[in-house]
Amino acid sequence: MAYINHVNLKNAGGQVYCCMRNKVVQFNEEQLMKYCVGCKMFGGTAKGKGVECFWDDMRGDKLMIVSDPVQEVEYNQTRSVRLTS
């Protein structure tokens, strides 16, 4: 797996997918200060349009734009895991 920059854009309701919390969250000042700033995956605020997070992802691209947080959380509940011996 490779580290990918996930640009999680806020949806119409101001929500994004949070990998650390593994759920859809309201992206506001409280989320930013309470969770994002201290998260090892935090990569910035996507120029005020959401949040950027760096984490291992089997999808393999170097940049992923996420505009549907519900779809992203659903994908991350069903993703495959590679086992190594």
Side-chain angles (χ1 to χ4, degrees), residues 4-45:
I4 295 174
N5 182 17
H6 295 78
V7 180
N8 297 290
L9 301 175
K10 292 185 279 188
N11 67 9
Q15 299 173 315
V16 297
Y17 170 68
C18 176
C19 182
M20 178 183 71
R21 297 173 70 193
N22 193 32
K23 66 181 187 176
V24 176
V25 299
Q26 193 69 32
F27 187 69
N28 53 28
E29 190 69 22
E30 180 181 1
Q31 169 70 24
L32 179 65
M33 299 310 292
K34 190 172 180 180
Y35 297 100
C36 300
V37 172
C39 179
K40 66 181 181 177
M41 295 178 275
F42 180 63
T45 60

Side-chain angles (χ1 to χ4, degrees), residues 65-82:
I65 307 296
V66 178
S67 58
D68 184 343
V70 173
Q71 182 181 10
E72 186 68 3
V73 76
E74 288 172 357
Y75 169 80
N76 284 294
Q77 301 314 305
T78 59
R79 65 182 170 187
S80 299
V81 177
R82 279 191 252 177

